[in-house]
Amino acid sequence: MAYDKFNVLTSTAYPLPTENVDTDQIIPARFLKATERKDFDINFFRDWRFNQDGTPKPDFPLNKEIYAGSKILVGGRNFGSGSSREHAAWSVYDFGLRCVISSAFADIFKNNCLNIGVLPVQVSASFADKLFDAIFADPKTEIKVDLPNQTVTLLSTGESETFEINSYKKDNMLNGFDDIDYLKNIENEIAAFAETRPF
Amino acid sequence: MTKTLFDKVWDSHVVRSIEDGPDVFFIDRHFIHEVTSPVAFLGLESRGNSVVYPERTFATADHNTPTINQHLPVADPLSANQLNALERNAAKYGISHWGLGDKNNGIVHVVGPENGITLPGATIVCGDSHTSTHGAFGAIAFGIGTSEVEMVLSTQCIMQPKPKKMRINVNGKLGAGVTPKDVALYIIAQQTTSGATGYFVEYAGDVFEDMTMEGRMTVCNLSIEMGARGGMIAPDAKTFDYIKGRSQTPKGEDWNKAMKYWETLYTEEGAEFDAEFNYNASDIEPMITYGTNPGMGIGVTKSIPNAASVEGGVETYKKSLGYMSFNEGEAMIGKQIDFVFLGSCTNGRIEDFRAFCSIVEGRKKAEHVTAWLVPGSHKVVDQIKAEGLDKIIANAGFELREPGCSACLAMNDDKIPAGKLSVSTSNRNFEGRQGPGSRTLLASPLVAAASAVEGVVTDPRTLLQTA
Ligand code: SF4
């Protein structure tokens, strides 16, 4: 599915320092029954955002008015562990987020994000702590994520760190391309390869 | 260059490598189910693509399916809609489909091996993280997202950078009452829930050599729970015996040809791993989890660790214990339980039902415990009946349900109610995994059986029936 190009993003951020946030929290299984990709924001962090009677939990960061409209989520270590459901990444996107920053991501979640145009930015644990401290001290703290230069900057102090992304994926994100575009272009090469498989 | 088992299988499936980018990776076998495939088919159609190799994709319904009265129409309209979408898409593109009630139906990771679709040296993907199960046969198998499901349908490839390599050796002999599930939970507790992120694991050593294919599947299944992309075990005579003659396994000359390839699938002496760990079988006892990720496991006789002694954030640890309503330092043995769940792609195979029966035979289910016994497939059901295990189960006051994912993920009707404590043989104890507010203790079928008859968390070794 085509997505918006990603270049430089400057935004405030939602802080969620809990570690090992798994995809069952990001979107519980009972909300995976759709056959179309739409409106996954409604159940994003459903059981952490809402009580069982549907009333919002005011203390949960994603419900706090002071962060509303942020396009970045700063998450705790090992963000997105567990299930391979891409619905988790869709819900991140549908909630209006374009970037998740963490000191460590689970592999499949990270991959899923890259495939749908959400940029996962992995930073050092100490830089993640700085981001949390800055956001908690001032919710209006802005973070600049610069994909062409692969840097993430805390604008209040100017502190900055570089992040890794391979040049293929970077190119895709900058241009809004995805893997299927690439693979369809080398169809013949794949077909020739398939002929060589023993089973 | 000396190669590992993983290198051999990976490298032989690379169509091309992109500089500073992923490999174009060819997929031999692709499983789909009703939850993660519908949007992939929509994407495929909106781009005007088709399924390029329908014979390489296999569809089964499992996540959403009810585990009683499967002959009746599925009551939940949303579930029914997904099941119908799977059936429609499979029919439209000529993909084999084992829907509800089909004699081959069951949990995707149980029916794949049963039908000989899972083969050594193959690359296998599915939109489900426990696809790692199939690594038990010496395949490279891992979970993918829906965008990648669409890639496989429309190109038979995905784009993946090659993961790093880890080997985990467990040597020695397992004690009585210690099962493959305990070995896996022990390893995950050592590694933590993210310790193997970025790695593909090879399991080696006496313990895995001695293990049955069912046991190896349980271990590989749980690889994802320490963050690994997947886990694999070199194929051996046991592997070949298991797959021989199954419906989709190569036959005759094709079998001989395949065998030649399969016999090359082992890690060469001196091949290097990016990380290697050694554990002793004698250190492993029956395990149980006490928190909200599978890395939070301890020997069943142990007490819940103090926050100060665990790795990772204290806040997160306390939040986890708070959710479970447990305290640091408490013993697990003797905690009153409400539910027992035997099943899932981790422990829903025949051997798991044999283990469960070995404890409950001649005993009775504790009255206050609700138990769900859910075989992983119809073939497992048939085998349970053929071995007379159904009688043992009934005599002990338990009931057998129909196959499916059931209470593993709270997507169908089988949900553990809020606040209730369940001993489950499944793979995830995340908050709400088995139903909103439910509390899960992961354990082996033996621990589940012992706890089901005693009504409290029980060390199965106290109930082992020695001949
Ligand atoms: S049994 Fe559980 S883990 Fe396995 S495929 Fe079903 S839902 Fe996934």
Side-chain angles (χ1 to χ4, degrees):
Chain A
M1 175 149 160
Y3 49 79
D4 304 335
K5 297 174 188 180
F6 193 109
N7 200 287
V8 177
L9 173 69
T10 303
S11 169
T12 55
Y14 295 99
L16 191 57
T18 307
E19 295 169 18
N20 304 321
V21 168
D22 58 75
T23 53
D24 275 86
Q25 308 317 316
I26 300 175
I27 187 151
R30 61 188 192 280
F31 303 119
L32 306 183
K33 297 194 183 189
T35 50
E36 285 172 78
R37 191 195 146 179
K38 60 168 202 242
D39 301 339
F40 280 98
D41 54 319
I42 299 164
N43 298 314
F44 184 47
F45 278 104
R46 176 75 198 203
D47 295 334
W48 289 10
R49 266 167 77 204
F50 300 101
N51 294 306
Q52 291 215 10
D53 63 6
T55 53
K57 299 181 180 178
D59 287 342
F60 187 60
L62 294 173
N63 286 335
K64 288 191 177 165
E65 199 44 49
I66 41 173
Y67 303 120
S70 295
K71 294 199 173 313
I72 299 173
L73 174 77
V74 185
R77 198 180 54 84
N78 193 30
F79 195 84
S81 57
S83 139
S84 63
R85 60 188 72 159
E86 197 167 297
H87 312 66
W90 299 339
S91 67
V92 170
Y93 190 95
D94 289 1
F95 193 72
L97 299 163
R98 293 303 312 278
C99 173
V100 183
I101 302 176
S102 170
S103 61
F105 288 96
D107 281 335
I108 305 182
F109 177 76
K110 188 175 181 179
N111 228 3
N112 287 342
C113 283
L114 283 166
N115 281 335
I116 65 152
V118 170
L119 183 67
V121 171
Q122 191 162 333
V123 295
S124 66
S126 60
F127 195 73
D129 285 343
K130 274 185 200 150
L131 295 178
F132 284 127
D133 289 346
I135 298 166
F136 286 126
D138 175 12
K140 289 287 152 215
T141 297
E142 285 195 312
I143 298 169
K144 180 175 163 190
V145 179
D146 180 333
L147 179 59
N149 290 306
Q150 295 177 227
T151 54
V152 47
T153 309
L154 185 56
L155 289 183
S156 53
T157 64
E159 282 169 285
S160 177
E161 203 172 86
T162 57
F163 62 88
E164 296 276 320
I165 181 168
N166 68 51
S167 53
Y168 167 83
K169 277 288 178 200
K170 179 174 166 179
D171 214 47
N172 272 1
M173 291 286 286
L174 289 171
N175 294 298
F177 295 160
D178 72 8
D179 290 348
I180 295 181
D181 302 332
Y182 184 97
L183 292 170
K184 270 288 163 195
N185 269 327
I186 59 164
E187 241 176 341
N188 294 341
E189 191 178 332
I190 297 171
F193 187 90
E195 287 295 313
T196 68
R197 298 304 308 146
F199 45 77
Chain B
M1 205 188 89
T2 47
K3 286 192 166 195
T4 67
L5 164 65
F6 175 72
D7 291 325
K8 288 176 179 173
V9 182
W10 184 279
D11 297 350
S12 64
H13 287 83
V14 175
V15 178
R16 66 152 76 162
S17 290
I18 298 171
E19 210 187 313
D20 193 25
D23 289 341
V24 175
F25 192 63
F26 188 82
I27 302 303
D28 292 318
R29 300 278 190 273
H30 180 209
F31 295 110
I32 57 173
H33 60 82
E34 73 276 21
V35 179
T36 55
S37 68
V39 173
F41 281 103
L42 283 185
L44 177 110
E45 282 166 10
S46 73
R47 289 174 195 255
N49 288 337
S50 188
V51 178
V52 279
Y53 298 104
E55 69 283 6
R56 292 184 179 275
T57 292
F58 303 82
T60 185
D62 53 7
H63 284 62
N64 260 335
T65 52
T67 58
I68 47 169
N69 295 325
Q70 288 187 347
H71 58 286
L72 299 177
V74 174
D76 176 353
L78 293 174
S79 296
N81 189 32
Q82 278 194 331
L83 295 167
N84 291 337
L86 184 72
E87 186 174 356
R88 251 196 340 267
N89 287 326
K92 180 165 176 189
Y93 293 104
I95 294 166
S96 85
H97 171 245
W98 296 330
L100 202 55
D102 189 294
K103 66 180 185 347
N104 287 321
N105 175 261
I107 305 173
V108 52
H109 310 308
V110 176
V111 301
E114 271 177 356
N115 291 283
I117 299 167
T118 303
L119 296 175
T123 50
I124 302 172
V125 293
C126 171
D128 187 285
S129 57
H130 292 97
T131 307
S132 58
T133 310
H134 309 268
F137 294 79
I140 290 182
F142 55 87
I144 56 175
T146 295
S147 295
E148 291 165 308
V149 172
E150 184 188 336
M151 280 176 225
V152 179
L153 292 171
S154 54
T155 72
Q156 207 57 39
C157 287
I158 55 171
M159 307 198 60
Q160 290 281 317
K162 189 174 177 182
K164 289 184 285 185
K165 293 169 282 178
M166 178 187 287
R167 181 160 59 186
I168 292 178
N169 306 294
V170 187
N171 281 299
K173 275 231 164 317
L174 294 174
V178 182
T179 70
K181 179 68 165 287
D182 302 305
V183 175
L185 287 176
Y186 177 85
I187 295 172
I188 301 165
Q190 305 299 311
Q191 291 288 332
T192 78
T193 186
S194 60
T197 303
Y199 289 92
F200 211 98
V201 177
E202 178 178 347
Y203 298 97
D206 310 337
V207 163
F208 306 109
E209 280 165 30
D210 292 347
M211 230 175 238
T212 60
M213 289 314 295
E214 281 85 358
R216 293 176 187 180
M217 283 189 253
T218 300
V219 170
C220 289
N221 172 282
L222 288 162
S223 306
I224 181 77
E225 305 308 337
M226 53 185 171
R229 205 60 204 275
M232 67 198 303
I233 294 173
D236 60 9
K238 249 184 244 179
T239 318
F240 305 134
D241 281 352
Y242 181 99
I243 57 175
K244 192 154 197 172
R246 293 188 186 254
S247 62
Q248 310 275 329
T249 309
K251 311 265 171 352
E253 216 12 66
D254 289 341
W255 170 270
N256 296 338
K257 248 200 262 166
M259 261 314 260
K260 285 216 173 71
Y261 168 52
W262 293 338
E263 281 168 347
T264 68
L265 298 178
Y266 57 88
T267 290
E268 288 163 20
E269 201 69 48
E272 286 194 16
F273 289 85
D274 301 290
E276 182 144 21
F277 296 89
N278 295 292
Y279 302 116
N280 291 322
S282 55
D283 292 338
I284 306 175
E285 58 167 339
M287 297 284 294
I288 194 148
T289 65
Y290 58 88
T292 54
N293 73 56
M296 300 174 80
I298 46 175
V300 65
T301 59
K302 302 271 186 344
S303 304
I304 297 173
N306 291 313
S309 71
V310 297
E311 263 182 60
V314 171
E315 285 301 310
T316 298
Y317 186 75
K318 293 210 158 142
K319 178 176 185 293
S320 179
L321 289 195
Y323 180 87
M324 294 301 291
S325 309
F326 291 165
N327 296 305
E328 297 169 39
E330 269 175 14
M332 290 305 292
I333 296 265
K335 279 193 185 297
Q336 168 130 350
I337 62 159
D338 308 296
F339 278 76
V340 163
F341 171 50
L342 173 67
S344 86
C345 58
T346 309
N347 284 124
R349 298 185 181 78
I350 185 62
E351 195 172 280
D352 304 312
F353 283 81
R354 287 184 197 135
F356 192 90
C357 286
S358 74
I359 297 265
V360 305
E361 179 161 25
R363 297 198 167 98
K364 285 275 179 237
K365 179 180 81 63
E367 233 164 78
H368 69 273
V369 170
T370 304
W372 289 334
L373 275 49
V374 190
S377 72
H378 283 290
K379 287 205 166 74
V380 175
V381 176
D382 293 346
Q383 187 68 21
I384 286 171
K385 290 185 179 152
E387 295 182 19
L389 300 178
D390 54 331
K391 308 250 161 33
I392 298 174
I393 287 167
N395 288 340
F398 295 91
E399 268 170 60
L400 211 52
R401 296 171 81 92
E402 292 170 284
C405 292
S406 183
C408 178
L409 92 165
M411 207 176 160
N412 45 64
D413 301 333
D414 305 348
K415 294 185 182 63
I416 310 283
K420 298 294 183 196
L421 190 61
S422 173
V423 175
S424 298
T425 65
S426 46
N427 40 56
R428 286 186 173 143
N429 50 353
F430 298 151
E431 288 185 27
R433 170 75 180 187
Q434 296 195 280
S438 62
R439 300 182 297 147
T440 302
L441 308 177
L442 299 177
S444 73
L446 290 179
V447 172
S451 304
V453 295
E454 297 292 327
V456 297
V457 173
T458 301
D459 182 346
R461 292 172 296 192
T462 60
L463 299 184
L464 286 181
Q465 324 218 12
T466 40

